[in-house]
Amino acid sequence: MPVKVLSGENAFLENCRMLKDFGSRCLIVCGGSSAEKSGALGDVRDFFARIGIEYCVFDRIEQNPRTQTARDAGDEAAAFSADFILGIGGGSPLDAAKAVAFYAKNPALQHYDIYTDFSKLERLPVALIGTTAGTGSEVTAVAVLTDSRDGKKKSICGDNSFADIAFCDAKYTHSMPYSVTVSTALDAFAHAVESFLALNRNEMSIVFAERAISLLWDSLVYFDKTGNPPDADRREKLYTASIFGGYSICVTGTLFPHALGYVLSEDYGIPHGKACTAFMPALIDFVLRDEDGKKRRCSRLFELCKTDCGTFKETIKRLTDVNIKMTAAEVEEYCKRWNDGTKNFLKTPGIMKLADAKQIMLDLFA
Ligand code: NAP
Ligand code: ZN
């Protein structure tokens, strides 16, 4: 994990000088309002004015960012002769920023060619400032982009798609609305749990996943019981846990809930975190069926959460609260994008098959 991570109170203010190493012209990539509301963009503007970095703001990154939007931002970076990209926001602007760095340096790259070609390409340096506590995009090589051709979410992930530097200061997450706070906490929890259960986990990923699970479960119970937003102390813990979740999926990637969850965001507008945890109870049931001894991992998971299987699943279901309906024919159609070799299936204890995925979709939504 090669990202230089600067975390804690005033992580940006105290370390922003490092950005000068990247050059004197920056394209800031963000969504319509979060960069401003979080206070991060204001801090960046002040610093850039003081230090003499010229900048231009591209603030049109949508949720579940589209390849064409990132291509447009890349064109703007090239026209501005940007030396580096600064992404500010939740996972959507941060993922987009990683892609923009490739587009900026490669004007002839078609928006859709990024999925196949990015690993061979040069890119601009990337700095990130997170404003949600969920995706861990700050520290992962993953950029999830919605293909503008067919509306499907697909990822790029490789050694050269990590950011160069990430500033992780929880104060920029304070302005998150309650619903985004819960959904992003669920996303971080999904990363930690899926990584913890994954067949390809290792000692390193386990350490981070276990810590993230303990930190996050406490807050999930708090949300479930009170319906109140977190205080500053809890926000700090949530953000730290989301970064730990990111570290753990750097090793393992995610399991089938993330693969299946994409369709709930694409076609039903369910935010990413809830789209993934909609499948978490099914994941637990699936792993508990595993004959190979991996079902014991679930006992450790409940131990970390100081709870039992039933309470665990019910808490997740209440917080996720996804109520959608699909026809059997629609489920059939969604299933065309996966097969028995889908990597998220192969890493799931019990080895998931396409037929299992289909049954889970039918049981939940049809
Ligand atoms: P997001 O899509 O970045 O943002 C969700 C909403 O919250 C937006 O309306 C955003 O506003 C707002 N928001 C964000 N921070 C805020 C703040 N501090 N104050 C007020 N509003 C704020 O949400 P996300 O859950 O962080 O990211 C989801 C995306 O990340 C999905 O595309 C998902 O597939 C991807 N993802 C990536 C990874 C990875 O490893 N790279 C992992 C998991 C998920 P604006 O529109 O103004 O920004
Ligand atoms: Zn996720």
Side-chain angles (χ1 to χ4, degrees):
M1 205 293 293
V3 185
K4 185 183 272 291
V5 181
L6 298 147
S7 60
E9 206 179 338
N10 294 328
F12 177 74
L13 295 174
E14 285 172 9
N15 299 289
C16 46
R17 212 156 274 282
M18 290 178 177
L19 291 179
K20 278 180 73 187
D21 295 345
F22 294 144
S24 58
R25 298 179 72 78
C26 171
L27 182 82
I28 298 172
V29 171
C30 56
S33 66
S34 59
E36 202 78 63
K37 282 184 193 155
S38 64
L41 187 55
D43 285 350
V44 169
R45 285 186 203 277
D46 288 351
F47 166 67
F48 281 1
R50 235 180 22 250
I51 214 95
I53 289 181
E54 302 280 327
Y55 66 92
C56 179
V57 181
F58 184 97
D59 62 3
R60 300 203 303 276
I61 302 298
E62 62 276 82
Q63 293 185 51
N64 307 303
R66 301 179 84 81
T67 47
Q68 186 59 61
T69 311
R71 176 66 268 180
D72 292 347
D75 291 341
E76 202 156 316
F80 182 66
S81 303
D83 298 316
F84 67 101
I85 306 297
L86 172 62
I88 306 177
S92 297
L94 301 194
D95 285 3
K98 295 177 196 172
V100 173
F102 287 104
Y103 289 126
K105 197 80 177 179
N106 299 277
L109 185 71
Q110 297 293 327
H111 67 88
Y112 46 81
D113 281 335
I114 193 154
Y115 295 114
T116 45
D117 289 353
F118 79 95
S119 61
K120 305 188 284 284
L121 297 174
E122 285 190 35
R123 62 164 177 82
L124 292 181
V126 179
L128 302 176
I129 301 178
T131 68
T132 62
T135 68
S137 177
E138 294 88 334
V139 298
T140 71
V142 177
V144 188
L145 302 167
T146 301
D147 189 332
S148 295
R149 293 169 304 179
D150 59 12
K152 292 204 166 87
K153 290 178 66 145
K154 301 166 200 165
S155 305
I156 64 168
C157 178
D159 287 346
N160 65 341
S161 53
F162 284 101
D164 296 278
I165 189 164
F167 301 98
C168 306
D169 184 340
K171 80 163 171 253
Y172 299 134
T173 70
H174 289 200
S175 53
M176 256 194 296
Y178 179 73
S179 63
V180 180
T181 301
V182 173
S183 182
T184 51
L186 286 168
D187 187 25
F189 192 64
H191 296 162
V193 169
E194 290 173 37
S195 179
F196 181 74
L197 296 173
L199 288 175
N200 60 337
R201 69 185 196 166
N202 66 20
E203 291 303 322
M204 181 86 148
S205 66
I206 293 169
V207 167
F208 286 110
E210 286 200 349
R211 186 76 187 116
I213 287 165
S214 307
L215 284 170
L216 287 160
W217 181 256
D218 181 69
S219 284
L220 294 181
V221 170
Y222 170 82
F223 296 144
D224 185 42
K225 290 219 165 102
T226 70
N228 288 334
D231 62 11
D233 185 45
R234 200 176 280 284
R235 291 255 186 224
E236 178 79 42
K237 289 191 174 117
L238 286 167
Y239 197 31
T240 302
S242 76
I243 299 300
F244 286 2
Y247 288 148
S248 62
I249 57 168
C250 278
V251 176
T252 58
T254 50
L255 301 185
F256 78 77
H258 264 74
L260 272 52
Y262 282 178
V263 304
L264 304 191
S265 297
E266 287 165 6
D267 287 358
Y268 303 87
I270 309 290
H272 172 74
K274 293 190 174 188
C276 296
T277 50
F279 296 97
M280 190 179 283
L283 170 66
I284 299 298
D285 290 342
F286 194 81
V287 175
L288 281 172
R289 276 176 17 205
D290 182 40
E291 300 295 318
D292 229 7
K294 303 293 185 289
K295 59 183 165 199
R296 264 183 267 132
R297 291 179 187 184
C298 289
S299 321
R300 175 69 183 143
L301 172 63
F302 305 140
E303 191 181 297
L304 287 165
C305 298
K306 301 189 182 75
T307 192
D308 57 84
C309 180
T311 312
F312 181 94
K313 290 197 292 185
E314 287 310 314
T315 306
I316 294 298
K317 274 187 202 160
R318 276 194 300 275
L319 288 169
T320 301
D321 194 29
V322 166
N323 296 299
I324 54 173
K325 286 275 167 253
M326 296 172 190
T327 63
E330 281 166 339
V331 170
E332 197 73 49
E333 193 58 33
Y334 288 132
C335 284
K336 287 186 181 153
R337 61 202 283 172
W338 308 300
N339 54 54
D340 286 350
T342 296
K343 68 178 188 311
N344 293 44
F345 293 1
L346 294 175
K347 290 182 288 184
T348 302
I351 316 285
M352 177 132 188
K353 296 273 195 296
L354 178 60
D356 301 312
K358 189 167 145 187
Q359 194 55 55
I360 287 169
M361 297 277 283
L362 288 169
D363 290 348
L364 285 173
F365 306 120

